[in-house]
């Protein structure tokens, strides 16, 4: 019955696309939406569609933007020669929450992944290289994720920029603050040892 | 920055309404939707709005319906005199999945909850009582949840129907199949003992 009730099924089928939402959660969301006031569902539906339509990308760095430039690229104080390379706009948001980084960003919108057929031309690498000649870049901070694709992407970009005499750095790997040595995997511990510093 | 990027914020604010979706998950959904193809977001948005608009309730039992009657009430074979009283349409779906129950349903769309100001007139109790005179009811199975509100609602309905000489039953409480005695709470164990049967 009800699980084959068409309006519920069609809502659940679409909600199932969301990350981490399995068939049961999608059904739970659908039942919930079915019991929401019509006006609230209209607001939800419109917010998603209008929100998605309003998404713009910065012409320089690929970050989310309200106009042609994102708020970082539009801020002249952040033109300090540093470019931090990340995979997604959400990584920009994460780094901005530290309130410490004063340079600019470059959003790749993906990482190299030969297995998934994602090559250098499929992500914003060419645009990054172009910035080396138009901006006065002193350092490129490679802040892709510390996974296989992220490491491969960082290495690839570093090899590409070295002949141009651009200083490339990679974010540190180590034990997360508040973490526990006992539960830290060996590779991370090894990186933490290798990256040790005088105190 | 990005976490204050208006399109993401407005999507996250609405997604935050979904059950079990906190601010972080809402933001994760919003970022995901921001990266979805425009066409897919349109489908999601339309599915929610059209799905909600298509929700109809059975004129007899209050279950979800495509026409005037739900598929159970429209099926003459299910007119066996039994009415199973549940809180939500999703409870109907759960009971239908057992493929055992052959009677009809009555969906209350809520449970009595004086704390939240939900009284007998706020849920479909009057409609249930009316069915006693229009249908040939032999048994009312009270299948509200085994929580405080569900028990109170079941007791209330039983007291209401007893003077009409309607047989009322309550679903059994006990140890869930596949459950573990060790991890079963005392109240449930007590109910399981009280409800023991010859084998």
């Amino acid at each position: 019955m009800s699980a084959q009730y068409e309006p519920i099924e069609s809502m659940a089928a679409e909600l199932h696309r969301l990350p981490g939402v399995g068939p049961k959660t999608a059904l739970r969301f659908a039942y919930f939406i079915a019991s929401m006031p019509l006006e609230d569902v209209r607001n939800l539906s419109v917010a998603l569609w209008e929100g998605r339509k309003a998404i713009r990308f910065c012409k320089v760095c690929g970050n989310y933007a309200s106009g042609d430039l994102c708020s970082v690229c539009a801020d002249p104080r952040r033109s300090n020669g540093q470019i931090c390379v990340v995979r997604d706009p959400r990584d920009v948001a994460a780094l901005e929450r530290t309130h410490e980084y004063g340079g600019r960003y470059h959003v790749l919108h993906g990482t190299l992944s030969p297995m998934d057929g994602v090559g250098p031309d499929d992500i914003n690498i060419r645009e990054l290289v172009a910035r080396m000649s138009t901006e006065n870049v002193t350092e490129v901070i490679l802040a892709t994720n510390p996974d296989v694709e992220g490491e491969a992407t960082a290495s690839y970009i570093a090899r590409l920029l070295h002949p141009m005499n651009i200083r490339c750095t990679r974010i540190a790997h180590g034990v997360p603050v508040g973490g526990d040595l006992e539960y830290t995997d060996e590779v991370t511990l090894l990186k933490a040892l290798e990256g040790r510093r005088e105190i």
Side-chain angles (χ1 to χ4, degrees), chain A:
Chain A
M1 250 254 35
S2 222
Q4 288 100 50
Y5 184 52
E6 211 277 317
I8 295 283
E9 286 293 315
S10 62
M11 289 195 280
E14 287 293 331
L15 290 162
H16 187 20
R17 296 164 172 275
L18 295 177
V21 175
K24 284 210 165 185
T25 306
L27 212 53
R28 192 157 66 100
F29 288 169
Y31 276 119
F32 182 84
I33 293 172
S35 70
M36 277 167 69
L38 211 55
E39 195 49 36
D40 288 0
V41 180
R42 182 203 291 272
N43 291 342
L44 169 63
S45 170
V46 168
L48 299 186
W49 173 238
E50 294 293 334
R52 174 62 187 83
K53 272 201 302 178
I55 299 284
R56 294 276 177 281
F57 299 106
C58 175
K59 287 202 157 59
V60 172
C61 76
N63 187 19
Y64 289 142
S66 303
D68 273 358
L69 294 181
C70 73
S71 56
V72 176
C73 286
D75 184 349
R77 286 168 303 175
R78 303 203 54 162
S79 155
N80 68 359
Q82 288 180 316
I83 292 182
C84 181
V85 177
V86 295
R87 188 184 59 181
D88 288 322
R90 66 206 308 188
D91 298 328
V92 173
L95 285 161
E96 285 297 290
R97 280 196 291 274
T98 67
H99 298 293
E100 270 302 318
Y101 177 65
R104 293 194 167 162
Y105 292 95
H106 192 82
V107 182
L108 297 173
H109 288 283
T111 38
L112 295 179
S113 175
M115 295 279 282
D116 303 314
V118 181
D121 292 340
D122 301 313
I123 60 178
N124 288 349
I125 289 183
R126 198 178 315 177
E127 291 82 350
L128 175 65
V129 174
R131 290 177 71 181
M132 299 306 130
S133 44
T134 55
E135 295 177 44
N136 199 3
V137 181
T138 55
E139 179 183 4
V140 169
I141 303 167
L142 298 160
T144 50
N145 283 332
D147 52 19
V148 178
E149 288 86 5
E151 293 295 349
T153 310
S155 306
Y156 180 88
I157 295 174
R159 263 176 303 164
L160 213 60
L161 300 186
H162 275 150
M164 304 170 77
N165 266 323
I166 306 283
R167 182 177 170 230
C168 291
T169 57
R170 179 85 175 105
I171 49 165
H173 297 329
V175 184
V177 178
D180 195 320
L181 283 201
E182 192 182 343
Y183 300 116
T184 307
D185 67 289
E186 305 87 79
V187 182
T188 303
L189 274 182
L190 191 65
K191 297 272 185 188
L193 275 174
E194 285 174 1
R196 69 190 181 278
R197 291 158 39 149
E198 298 277 351
I199 58 166

